[in-house]
Amino acid sequence: MSTILYDLDLAWRGVRARLVQTLIPLMVVALGVAVAVATLALGDGVRRGIIQASDPFGVLVVGAKGDGQQLVLNSVLLQGLPLGTIPASIYDELTADPRVRLAVPLAKGDNIGGAPVIGTDEAFFQLRPSLNAPLAFRLSAGRLFDADFEAVLGSIAAEGLGLQIGDQFQAQHGFERGIEDDTHDEAYTVVGILHPSGTAYDSAVYVTTHTVWDAHAEEEGGAANPFTITGLGAQTGDPERLTSLLVQPVGFAEANTIWQTFYTRTDAQAAFPGQELGRLFDLFGQVQTLLTAVGWLVLAIALAVVFLSAYGAALHRRRDLAVMRSLGAPRRTVARVLLFEALLVSLGGALLGRLLGYGAALLVGAAVTEGAAIPVPVEVVWSLEPLLWVLPLALGGLGGLIPAWMAYRADVVEGLAG
Amino acid sequence: MNVQLSRITHDYRAPSGEVRRVLDIPAWSLAAGAQVLLRGVSGSGKTTLFNIMAGLLRPTAGTVALGETDLYTLPEATRDRFRAGNIGYVFQNHHLIGELTALENIVMPLAFAAELPRARWKPTALELLAQVGLADFARYRPRQLSTGQRLRVAVARALANRPRLLLADEPTAALDPDSGAAVVALLKSACAERGAVLVVASHDPAWSGEFDHHIDLRGGRLVERTGEENHVYHPV
């Protein structure tokens, strides 16, 4: 045992002594591991983040006809533009429908400092991930709105805008920050601030649907209206329109029948968020497979680099290895020292790769969270950890095998003479 | 421990394919404590003879016995271990491992011989460094040492396992006369203290006066200074 430890000690010194030659294969191994780790951890985090962010929003989304995925992404994750609008009467239909437990109206079209202003009603604040789960959107300060032009702020919106209870602000037309001339005249008053919910809606500002309708009523058809395609009332001249509806049916069977009902209608469609996000995940999966393949490819290149490095070390240290043999080291010792060196390089690469990979995943995850308000929890992918240790080490072992064999077979006298 | 060479021949195949006999020693016996100067010009076969005596190069024919142990009948791994524990070798170019400190270079044969517990390796190596006057240079790497200091580390390394045979191949070749004399004196005293056989190879006639016994190696044959070939050497 002490002999093996001593061999390991010699290998470590060899690695340290040839730092530059060691760093190149180490970095290549680290790069391969980092790509694989970042891809897998980020993919996993984005999946879980989207699931978490979409959790409270019900089983069905009802909105304008078009791409169901766009409808879900806009309604659930606040990503992209809305498809269009639907009559507010559909909301009345659904609230009266015995198959529906909860229907939540969403009317979009304005923003304040980039934070979307969402017209809704008190039903929104009754959303919860499941029947027994706590409410998803709870007040941390103030109260809910009970009059038009009263606003409740999501936690990120409140922090980002620097607004507090009692503060007033003016909203702008459009879904993103625009020019100052697009500002509505009406003053909105902050009456409540929500706890963080871990959803994209933390970056939103909530008002009554009538607030949104009122803010646009006098401008419909006017030249100043900045959202003539997707804006409220743009298609019909009717200001009382909604962007979409979040629907929680009383059961799965009812969810299916509601979906079928809308399937045959021409004024709206229903989409299952789970199904649409599943399609999105499939797309993620393909990208992830591609990136993971790149990681494996880099690891394959690393195998060649580790081999070349170990081969170079065997040639460079031919005399030293011969001296070791002359001092009594058996053949297996010199072979083991070279093999250990290759393994140490791979181990270093595996460690560094993890740091880089998880570091990159955390940075990208934070950027996604910052930009889209979708939480991206980056965690250690335990299911892949054994593979991500075994593979680089196997790679190091494989790369060091031939040089170790060369050292094993080397002639001592020739080595001393060389 | 006696060292006994019997009917040693060693052939070398030249690139032309011609087989050349580089050593031909019918018998050579060295009693314990013998200190011998082996003289010979470059290419006379001194290093080849040392490699054979050290168990590093199997001769074409013949035996090398250290005490009762016939070196080349041992399995290779056993011979390696035997060499680590019984034979010290000071190379012509010192051959210290550059990435190790002076101390670590001396620890190496102790580790390979595995006769001392690990905890004793460093203290023993430090004692040896002190013996060769380099107690303050334990953490120095070979490139930080002078040629003479490197040679002294090499001597300490060769003495690490209290060898019963110490071979020194041209140890003073790169040294000035004073440093060379100090190294030869060190080798002689260390071997005398341990009762080890010392064979120093040198083509420098200056050392003749330092050894009571010297033998020339000419054309692969041992020649006593009287000119009698294949002299069976017995020290007094």
Tab-separated table of all heavy atoms in Angstrom, chain A residues 346-377:
chain	number	residue	atom	x	y	z
A	346	SER	N	-6.612	13.583	-15.676
A	346	SER	CA	-8.048	13.411	-15.952
A	346	SER	C	-8.887	13.810	-14.745
A	346	SER	O	-9.941	14.436	-14.891
A	346	SER	CB	-8.350	11.958	-16.302
A	346	SER	OG	-7.532	11.562	-17.342
A	347	LEU	N	-8.395	13.429	-13.571
A	347	LEU	CA	-9.125	13.765	-12.342
A	347	LEU	C	-9.199	15.286	-12.188
A	347	LEU	O	-10.254	15.842	-11.864
A	347	LEU	CB	-8.422	13.131	-11.142
A	347	LEU	CG	-9.159	13.184	-9.814
A	347	LEU	CD1	-10.414	12.339	-9.868
A	347	LEU	CD2	-8.266	12.689	-8.686
A	348	GLY	N	-8.056	15.940	-12.425
A	348	GLY	CA	-8.027	17.408	-12.364
A	348	GLY	C	-8.995	18.011	-13.364
A	348	GLY	O	-9.726	18.955	-13.064
A	349	GLY	N	-9.005	17.428	-14.567
A	349	GLY	CA	-9.921	17.906	-15.605
A	349	GLY	C	-11.375	17.705	-15.205
A	349	GLY	O	-12.217	18.578	-15.416
A	350	ALA	N	-11.648	16.543	-14.598
A	350	ALA	CA	-13.026	16.252	-14.170
A	350	ALA	C	-13.469	17.243	-13.095
A	350	ALA	O	-14.606	17.727	-13.104
A	350	ALA	CB	-13.125	14.821	-13.657
A	351	LEU	N	-12.548	17.553	-12.186
A	351	LEU	CA	-12.873	18.509	-11.110
A	351	LEU	C	-13.085	19.919	-11.670
A	351	LEU	O	-14.102	20.564	-11.390
A	351	LEU	CB	-11.729	18.541	-10.087
A	351	LEU	CG	-11.817	17.566	-8.935
A	351	LEU	CD1	-10.513	17.554	-8.149
A	351	LEU	CD2	-12.961	17.951	-8.007
A	352	LEU	N	-12.104	20.352	-12.465
A	352	LEU	CA	-12.189	21.699	-13.034
A	352	LEU	C	-13.416	21.816	-13.948
A	352	LEU	O	-14.119	22.837	-13.946
A	352	LEU	CB	-10.912	22.013	-13.816
A	352	LEU	CG	-10.817	23.415	-14.404
A	352	LEU	CD1	-10.775	24.455	-13.298
A	352	LEU	CD2	-9.564	23.560	-15.272
A	353	GLY	N	-13.653	20.750	-14.708
A	353	GLY	CA	-14.804	20.735	-15.606
A	353	GLY	C	-16.113	20.919	-14.861
A	353	GLY	O	-17.023	21.615	-15.312
A	354	ARG	N	-16.177	20.296	-13.691
A	354	ARG	CA	-17.382	20.458	-12.875
A	354	ARG	C	-17.557	21.914	-12.457
A	354	ARG	O	-18.633	22.489	-12.548
A	354	ARG	CB	-17.269	19.605	-11.625
A	354	ARG	CG	-18.092	18.389	-11.719
A	354	ARG	CD	-17.725	17.409	-10.643
A	354	ARG	NE	-18.303	16.152	-11.001
A	354	ARG	CZ	-17.856	15.411	-11.992
A	354	ARG	NH1	-16.816	15.801	-12.699
A	354	ARG	NH2	-18.457	14.289	-12.294
A	355	LEU	N	-16.450	22.480	-11.955
A	355	LEU	CA	-16.515	23.881	-11.501
A	355	LEU	C	-16.958	24.781	-12.655
A	355	LEU	O	-17.856	25.615	-12.502
A	355	LEU	CB	-15.152	24.339	-10.978
A	355	LEU	CG	-14.695	23.726	-9.662
A	355	LEU	CD1	-13.295	24.211	-9.300
A	355	LEU	CD2	-15.665	24.108	-8.549
A	356	LEU	N	-16.307	24.584	-13.816
A	356	LEU	CA	-16.649	25.419	-14.974
A	356	LEU	C	-18.081	25.159	-15.421
A	356	LEU	O	-18.839	26.077	-15.728
A	356	LEU	CB	-15.682	25.127	-16.131
A	356	LEU	CG	-14.236	25.556	-15.944
A	356	LEU	CD1	-13.378	25.102	-17.124
A	356	LEU	CD2	-14.140	27.069	-15.813
A	357	GLY	N	-18.446	23.874	-15.491
A	357	GLY	CA	-19.767	23.489	-15.991
A	357	GLY	C	-20.888	24.020	-15.114
A	357	GLY	O	-21.813	24.686	-15.587
A	358	TYR	N	-20.778	23.747	-13.814
A	358	TYR	CA	-21.836	24.213	-12.911
A	358	TYR	C	-21.801	25.744	-12.793
A	358	TYR	O	-22.842	26.388	-12.674
A	358	TYR	CB	-21.715	23.558	-11.536
A	358	TYR	CG	-22.215	22.129	-11.523
A	358	TYR	CD1	-21.373	21.073	-11.231
A	358	TYR	CD2	-23.537	21.837	-11.839
A	358	TYR	CE1	-21.824	19.758	-11.242
A	358	TYR	CE2	-24.004	20.529	-11.849
A	358	TYR	CZ	-23.141	19.494	-11.545
A	358	TYR	OH	-23.603	18.215	-11.568
A	359	GLY	N	-20.571	26.301	-12.851
A	359	GLY	CA	-20.446	27.762	-12.815
A	359	GLY	C	-21.146	28.398	-14.004
A	359	GLY	O	-21.922	29.353	-13.851
A	360	ALA	N	-20.893	27.849	-15.193
A	360	ALA	CA	-21.531	28.378	-16.403
A	360	ALA	C	-23.047	28.200	-16.326
A	360	ALA	O	-23.815	29.108	-16.685
A	360	ALA	CB	-20.980	27.676	-17.636
A	361	ALA	N	-23.472	27.041	-15.836
A	361	ALA	CA	-24.918	26.784	-15.723
A	361	ALA	C	-25.564	27.784	-14.757
A	361	ALA	O	-26.662	28.301	-15.020
A	361	ALA	CB	-25.159	25.361	-15.246
A	362	LEU	N	-24.864	28.077	-13.652
A	362	LEU	CA	-25.402	29.044	-12.686
A	362	LEU	C	-25.510	30.438	-13.308
A	362	LEU	O	-26.524	31.128	-13.125
A	362	LEU	CB	-24.510	29.101	-11.440
A	362	LEU	CG	-24.676	27.949	-10.448
A	362	LEU	CD1	-23.564	27.966	-9.405
A	362	LEU	CD2	-26.039	28.033	-9.758
A	363	LEU	N	-24.455	30.818	-14.059
A	363	LEU	CA	-24.461	32.148	-14.684
A	363	LEU	C	-25.580	32.263	-15.716
A	363	LEU	O	-26.342	33.230	-15.720
A	363	LEU	CB	-23.112	32.415	-15.364
A	363	LEU	CG	-21.955	32.786	-14.432
A	363	LEU	CD1	-20.664	32.937	-15.219
A	363	LEU	CD2	-22.263	34.092	-13.711
A	364	VAL	N	-25.671	31.250	-16.589
A	364	VAL	CA	-26.714	31.286	-17.619
A	364	VAL	C	-28.092	31.225	-16.969
A	364	VAL	O	-29.021	31.939	-17.352
A	364	VAL	CB	-26.523	30.125	-18.632
A	364	VAL	CG1	-27.672	30.070	-19.618
A	364	VAL	CG2	-25.201	30.296	-19.374
A	365	GLY	N	-28.210	30.369	-15.949
A	365	GLY	CA	-29.480	30.246	-15.237
A	365	GLY	C	-29.893	31.578	-14.618
A	365	GLY	O	-31.057	31.988	-14.708
A	366	ALA	N	-28.897	32.256	-14.010
A	366	ALA	CA	-29.189	33.557	-13.388
A	366	ALA	C	-29.607	34.570	-14.451
A	366	ALA	O	-30.516	35.374	-14.231
A	366	ALA	CB	-27.966	34.065	-12.633
A	367	ALA	N	-28.941	34.496	-15.619
A	367	ALA	CA	-29.279	35.426	-16.699
A	367	ALA	C	-30.701	35.165	-17.206
A	367	ALA	O	-31.457	36.101	-17.474
A	367	ALA	CB	-28.278	35.289	-17.840
A	368	VAL	N	-31.074	33.891	-17.318
A	368	VAL	CA	-32.438	33.546	-17.764
A	368	VAL	C	-33.447	34.043	-16.729
A	368	VAL	O	-34.478	34.633	-17.071
A	368	VAL	CB	-32.572	32.021	-17.979
A	368	VAL	CG1	-34.025	31.629	-18.213
A	368	VAL	CG2	-31.707	31.576	-19.163
A	369	THR	N	-33.121	33.806	-15.465
A	369	THR	CA	-34.029	34.238	-14.402
A	369	THR	C	-34.177	35.754	-14.414
A	369	THR	O	-35.281	36.290	-14.278
A	369	THR	CB	-33.481	33.787	-13.025
A	369	THR	OG1	-33.271	32.378	-13.087
A	369	THR	CG2	-34.464	34.095	-11.914
A	370	GLU	N	-33.053	36.428	-14.609
A	370	GLU	CA	-33.077	37.894	-14.638
A	370	GLU	C	-33.892	38.408	-15.818
A	370	GLU	O	-34.724	39.292	-15.689
A	370	GLU	CB	-31.621	38.391	-14.751
A	370	GLU	CG	-31.470	39.880	-14.974
A	370	GLU	CD	-31.343	40.644	-13.677
A	370	GLU	OE1	-31.058	40.001	-12.660
A	370	GLU	OE2	-31.561	41.871	-13.703
A	371	GLY	N	-33.658	37.792	-16.987
A	371	GLY	CA	-34.294	38.287	-18.192
A	371	GLY	C	-35.744	37.859	-18.334
A	371	GLY	O	-36.583	38.634	-18.783
A	372	ALA	N	-36.037	36.633	-17.953
A	372	ALA	CA	-37.384	36.103	-18.211
A	372	ALA	C	-38.176	35.854	-16.938
A	372	ALA	O	-39.332	35.459	-17.010
A	372	ALA	CB	-37.263	34.798	-19.001
A	373	ALA	N	-37.571	36.080	-15.800
A	373	ALA	CA	-38.212	35.860	-14.498
A	373	ALA	C	-38.674	34.424	-14.326
A	373	ALA	O	-39.562	34.135	-13.540
A	373	ALA	CB	-39.374	36.831	-14.290
A	374	ILE	N	-38.069	33.512	-15.113
A	374	ILE	CA	-38.363	32.091	-14.925
A	374	ILE	C	-37.237	31.527	-14.072
A	374	ILE	O	-36.077	31.641	-14.443
A	374	ILE	CB	-38.416	31.350	-16.273
A	374	ILE	CG1	-39.523	31.936	-17.139
A	374	ILE	CG2	-38.635	29.851	-16.054
A	374	ILE	CD1	-39.480	31.449	-18.563
A	375	PRO	N	-37.551	30.949	-12.922
A	375	PRO	CA	-36.470	30.424	-12.091
A	375	PRO	C	-35.775	29.258	-12.781
A	375	PRO	O	-36.433	28.409	-13.383
A	375	PRO	CB	-37.187	29.961	-10.821
A	375	PRO	CG	-38.599	29.738	-11.234
A	375	PRO	CD	-38.882	30.685	-12.355
A	376	VAL	N	-34.443	29.269	-12.743
A	376	VAL	CA	-33.690	28.132	-13.308
A	376	VAL	C	-32.839	27.557	-12.179
A	376	VAL	O	-31.699	27.966	-11.973
A	376	VAL	CB	-32.817	28.580	-14.497
A	376	VAL	CG1	-32.044	27.392	-15.061
A	376	VAL	CG2	-33.670	29.202	-15.581
A	377	PRO	N	-33.405	26.629	-11.409
A	377	PRO	CA	-32.639	26.075	-10.292
A	377	PRO	C	-31.569	25.114	-10.806
A	377	PRO	O	-31.885	24.046	-11.335
A	377	PRO	CB	-33.708	25.327	-9.477
A	377	PRO	CG	-34.795	25.028	-10.445
A	377	PRO	CD	-34.730	26.025	-11.554
